Amino acid sequence: MPRKTEQFLLVTPSDSKNLVLIRDLVGKIALRAGFPQDYVDKIQLAVDEACTNVIRHAYPRNRRGDITVRIGVDSRKLKVEVIDHGKGFDVQAVLAKDVNHRLNELKRGGLGIYLMRMLMDEVRFDVKPGKETRVEMVKYRDLRETDEQKALQKKLIEKSHTLRR
Amino acid sequence: MPRKTEQFLLVTPSDSKNLVLIRDLVGKIALRAGFPQDYVDKIQLAVDEACTNVIRHAYPRNRRGDITVRIGVDSRKLKVEVIDHGKGFDVQAVLAKDVNHRLNELKRGGLGIYLMRMLMDEVRFDVKPGKETRVEMVKYRDLRETDEQKALQKKLIEKSHTLRR
Amino acid sequence: MDQFSMQRKEMDDLTVLYIEGYLDAHTAHQFEEALRKIIEEGRYKIVVNFSRLNYISSAGLGVFMGVIEEVRSNGGDIKMCCLSDKVFRVFDLLGFPALYDIVKTEDEAIQKFRDAQEKAPE
Amino acid sequence: MDQFSMQRKEMDDLTVLYIEGYLDAHTAHQFEEALRKIIEEGRYKIVVNFSRLNYISSAGLGVFMGVIEEVRSNGGDIKMCCLSDKVFRVFDLLGFPALYDIVKTEDEAIQKFRDAQEKAPE
Ligand SMILES: Nc1ncnc2c1ncn2[C@@H]1O[C@H](COP(=O)(O)OP(=O)(O)O)[C@@H](O)[C@H]1O
Ligand SMILES: Nc1ncnc2c1ncn2[C@@H]1O[C@H](COP(=O)(O)OP(=O)(O)O)[C@@H](O)[C@H]1O
């Protein structure tokens, strides 16, 4: 377990074929840092979701940009930042959509950010449109599901029961 | 096979435990880019040697720096740069040591740069002492052993026969 | 380096699709194409067997959401079986167990289609 | 995540060291320690069995160079066997086959020690 923060940086073209490279690197770092396998799984998925958003939403089709993944590990936590230099988005508007909306939209996605928030202990967005979009996610070594995460999921499940044919 | 150059960047702390992360990433990129397995093996080993040099020689013991690995792939070649911001070294003096010296020094190393030159098609050093040391290595998709590489090894083998007890 | 692959089996009006490897935003379109092909053939009773699937992200889940309506409106369904704990956890986080039939074995999935047929014969 | 491991076997005055995994600048010190321990026990006839070694860099090769003189000056040797083509290629690039006995099988390596003993009995 490192005493100080160990920093890693990976930059790849914004192309879905690179998701596997990113997941593998993040997974190895988390596992080696002593995170249990189920945490490693969650971290990998959350990072995949953030990178998938960059690939799908950040850059116009004809301009391929980069995905930057910054990983910091210390004795308490793992922090991942996923950064792009694309168009950005209105974080408040996206976060304001409640479970109701989200489920009605399930057909066409809208699951990524919800998953990130369920899988990680902290998720922050920092959007400077046209300059930099940064998603910062933290996973603590010893923290199980938060009350907020439990409440989020409870709402979703209740809703999905009413939608069931 | 990508038409334009695809660029990847990995930065890790200068610690030998990160060699495996670097080798894995470089190997996956090379393999996916269509390099045959024996080329992938050579590229991985050459990069390992360059990074091992950073870990062993670039930074003073009490100051851990970074290793930066930059990978570019295009339709003709793979280029890897291994960069540190450590003390640098006298490239001419090191390269000037001929096979004779090298073999006498085998006990304590001195194999890394020789291997890099044997494994890759082009190896260039760019040292700005105290600022940046950069090793640039290129592997072409379709180029077998160069005459220079063959001559280097022939000399080494002749020498090692005379050293044999 | 093949991250994702599929196999297909037909049993009367039922189609079983075996998926293997990593289902993410890169491989999701292959999966979607395979599902669409089955649907275009007019085969709406589909079992997806996850036994060899190691990984799924929301891009993979989105594929199910994208076709389920068409499948169900044609009297069919997509039933899922043999999910690893890891993959099931992702479905669970998203409330999918309330929206889809997710069962332990392929036989159970097939039986669910047969039971439904008996209850509502054409 | 264990990149490198070893096992040791003793046969009379001969020691066989099996090395497994990845031998690089990170794991070389473990290997060096194991070799030094054998030498400190006064056991100078050493066979290193590479059959399960996937990878070696110059840091691993340097370990051999660092101890061979001591071993040979005590009437012993380090013989190497069962190298994969990939690992052998690295030894070959560096001219090691002229400096070391590198053989195909463990039996051959052992026989080399026995032959030398017969030629020069103590
Ligand atoms: N890096 C990004 N750049 C631009 N827009 C983004 C980015 N990340 C998320 N978004 C926006 O947030 C929305 C919600 O994202 P998400 O919950 O992952 O669902 P989905 O990607 O399936 O729409 C996206 O539709 C997109 O408009
Ligand atoms: N990145 C670097 N920073 C400082 N010195 C270096 C670096 N790379 C190589 N060197 C110098 O070049 C020498 C030769 O390197 P090499 O052939 O790899 O053998 P070895 O590392 O075993 O000495 C090293 O001993 C070191 O002095």
Side-chain angles (χ1 to χ4, degrees):
Chain A
M1 218 187 290
R3 284 161 309 152
K4 291 196 282 182
T5 303
E6 281 194 303
Q7 291 274 4
F8 299 83
L9 180 77
L10 176 65
V11 183
T12 79
S14 167
D15 185 317
S16 63
K17 74 177 178 186
N18 294 323
L19 289 170
V20 59
L21 300 180
I22 297 168
R23 286 198 307 266
D24 283 359
L25 182 77
V26 171
K28 276 178 205 149
I29 291 170
L31 203 61
R32 197 178 67 182
F35 283 82
Q37 187 63 52
D38 61 325
Y39 276 35
V40 175
D41 293 345
K42 287 177 178 182
I43 294 166
Q44 280 183 315
L45 180 52
V47 172
D48 179 322
E49 296 295 340
C51 293
T52 296
N53 277 347
V54 175
I55 294 160
R56 292 200 164 159
H57 306 299
Y59 301 106
R61 287 219 163 268
N62 56 347
R63 183 172 74 84
R64 303 249 75 162
D66 283 340
I67 309 177
T68 297
V69 181
R70 196 185 290 276
I71 307 153
V73 191
D74 64 29
S75 57
R76 283 176 54 236
K77 62 180 188 301
L78 183 145
K79 183 165 101 177
V80 198
E81 291 159 274
V82 173
I83 300 159
D84 67 69
H85 301 91
K87 70 171 158 62
F89 67 108
D90 183 342
V91 180
Q92 292 318 317
V94 168
L95 292 182
K97 287 197 191 166
D98 77 344
V99 168
N100 201 334
H101 278 84
R102 195 171 290 120
L103 262 190
N104 289 335
E105 276 180 27
L106 276 188
K107 280 160 218 149
R108 307 264 156 254
L111 306 175
I113 290 176
Y114 171 80
L115 269 181
M116 285 153 56
R117 292 171 71 200
M118 290 300 294
L119 296 164
M120 301 296 274
D121 298 321
E122 292 169 13
V123 180
R124 278 182 290 270
F125 296 89
D126 183 9
V127 178
K128 299 187 186 73
K131 291 186 101 174
E132 184 184 276
T133 301
R134 201 165 58 80
V135 187
E136 183 181 309
M137 300 183 280
V138 177
K139 191 84 189 165
Y140 290 95
R141 287 179 190 277
D142 43 12
L143 201 76
R144 293 277 151 182
E145 243 172 309
T146 62
D147 289 342
E148 196 207 353
Q149 284 167 340
K150 282 195 194 124
L152 254 178
Q153 200 191 3
K154 191 153 163 280
K155 253 170 109 186
L156 179 75
I157 286 176
E158 283 162 11
K159 192 69 206 172
S160 59
H161 276 282
T162 69
L163 282 183
R164 173 83 158 121
R165 305 181 173 229
Chain B
M1 220 188 290
R3 283 161 309 152
K4 289 196 283 182
T5 303
E6 281 195 303
Q7 290 275 2
F8 300 84
L9 180 78
L10 176 65
V11 183
T12 79
S14 167
D15 185 316
S16 64
K17 73 176 179 187
N18 295 323
L19 289 170
V20 59
L21 300 180
I22 297 167
R23 286 198 307 267
D24 283 359
L25 182 76
V26 171
K28 276 176 205 149
I29 292 170
L31 204 61
R32 196 177 66 181
F35 283 83
Q37 186 63 51
D38 61 324
Y39 276 35
V40 175
D41 292 346
K42 287 177 178 185
I43 293 167
Q44 280 183 314
L45 180 52
V47 172
D48 179 321
E49 296 294 339
C51 293
T52 296
N53 278 346
V54 175
I55 295 160
R56 293 200 163 158
H57 306 299
Y59 301 105
R61 287 218 164 269
N62 56 347
R63 183 172 74 84
R64 305 249 75 164
D66 282 341
I67 309 177
T68 297
V69 181
R70 197 186 290 277
I71 306 152
V73 191
D74 65 29
S75 57
R76 283 176 56 236
K77 62 180 187 301
L78 182 143
K79 182 165 101 176
V80 198
E81 292 159 274
V82 174
I83 299 159
D84 67 69
H85 301 92
K87 70 172 158 65
F89 67 108
D90 183 342
V91 180
Q92 292 318 316
V94 167
L95 292 182
K97 288 198 193 167
D98 77 346
V99 168
N100 198 335
H101 278 84
R102 196 171 288 119
L103 263 191
N104 289 334
E105 276 179 27
L106 278 187
K107 281 159 216 150
R108 307 265 156 253
L111 308 174
I113 291 176
Y114 171 80
L115 269 180
M116 285 151 57
R117 291 171 70 201
M118 291 299 295
L119 297 164
M120 301 295 275
D121 298 321
E122 293 169 13
V123 180
R124 278 182 289 270
F125 296 88
D126 183 7
V127 178
K128 301 188 185 76
K131 292 185 99 172
E132 183 184 275
T133 302
R134 202 165 57 83
V135 186
E136 184 181 310
M137 300 182 281
V138 176
K139 190 85 189 165
Y140 290 95
R141 288 180 189 275
D142 43 12
L143 201 77
R144 293 278 151 182
E145 241 174 309
T146 61
D147 289 342
E148 196 207 356
Q149 284 167 340
K150 280 194 194 124
L152 255 178
Q153 202 191 4
K154 191 153 164 279
K155 255 170 106 186
L156 180 76
I157 286 175
E158 282 162 12
K159 194 69 207 171
S160 59
H161 276 283
T162 69
L163 282 182
R164 176 82 158 120
R165 310 183 169 224
Chain C
M1 292 274 285
D2 252 13
Q3 288 178 56
F4 179 71
S5 62
M6 289 168 291
Q7 272 188 297
R8 189 177 151 169
K9 183 174 82 176
E10 268 146 54
M11 307 169 65
D12 304 327
D13 60 343
L14 222 127
T15 308
V16 185
L17 190 62
Y18 299 85
I19 57 180
E20 180 168 348
Y22 295 78
L23 187 49
D24 64 8
H26 191 55
T27 56
H29 73 280
Q30 289 175 53
F31 177 50
E32 174 145 20
E33 265 172 35
L35 271 184
R36 292 221 175 272
K37 188 160 181 297
I38 294 168
I39 294 166
E40 271 161 32
E41 292 171 16
R43 304 180 63 85
Y44 300 108
K45 294 180 181 168
I46 302 168
V47 175
V48 178
N49 184 322
F50 282 72
S51 61
R52 301 177 137 207
L53 196 82
N54 297 317
Y55 179 84
I56 194 163
S57 75
S58 73
L61 296 162
V63 174
F64 291 100
M65 304 308 297
V67 299
I68 191 67
E69 203 151 8
E70 183 176 353
V71 168
R72 286 190 180 150
S73 66
N74 281 285
D77 197 13
I78 300 178
K79 307 211 186 281
M80 307 170 187
C81 76
C82 318
L83 284 68
S84 69
D85 287 351
K86 174 180 162 185
V87 168
F88 180 75
R89 246 177 267 135
V90 184
F91 278 85
D92 196 34
L93 270 181
L94 293 168
F96 269 49
L99 293 167
Y100 290 92
D101 271 329
I102 302 180
V103 295
K104 286 238 157 31
T105 66
E106 191 178 308
D107 282 348
E108 263 181 273
I110 293 167
Q111 198 52 47
K112 284 231 169 196
F113 276 117
R114 300 287 174 245
D115 290 352
Q117 218 154 13
E118 272 166 35
K119 263 190 255 160
E122 276 148 66
Chain D
M1 293 273 286
D2 251 13
Q3 287 179 54
F4 179 70
S5 62
M6 289 169 291
Q7 270 188 297
R8 189 177 151 168
K9 182 174 81 176
E10 268 146 54
M11 306 171 67
D12 304 326
D13 59 341
L14 222 128
T15 307
V16 186
L17 191 61
Y18 299 84
I19 57 179
E20 180 168 349
Y22 296 78
L23 186 50
D24 64 8
H26 191 56
T27 55
H29 73 280
Q30 289 173 54
F31 177 50
E32 175 145 20
E33 265 172 35
L35 272 184
R36 291 221 175 272
K37 188 160 179 300
I38 294 168
I39 294 165
E40 271 160 31
E41 292 171 16
R43 305 180 62 84
Y44 300 108
K45 294 179 181 167
I46 302 167
V47 175
V48 178
N49 184 322
F50 282 71
S51 60
R52 301 180 137 204
L53 197 82
N54 297 318
Y55 179 84
I56 195 163
S57 75
S58 73
L61 296 163
V63 174
F64 291 100
M65 304 309 296
V67 299
I68 190 66
E69 204 153 7
E70 183 176 352
V71 168
R72 286 188 180 152
S73 66
N74 280 286
D77 198 13
I78 300 178
K79 307 207 186 286
M80 308 169 187
C81 76
C82 319
L83 283 70
S84 69
D85 287 351
K86 173 179 163 187
V87 168
F88 180 76
R89 245 177 266 135
V90 184
F91 277 85
D92 197 33
L93 270 182
L94 292 168
F96 269 50
L99 293 166
Y100 291 91
D101 271 330
I102 303 179
V103 296
K104 286 238 159 31
T105 66
E106 191 178 308
D107 282 348
E108 263 180 273
I110 292 167
Q111 198 53 47
K112 286 233 171 196
F113 276 117
R114 300 287 175 243
D115 291 350
Q117 219 155 13
E118 273 165 35
K119 266 191 250 158
E122 279 148 63

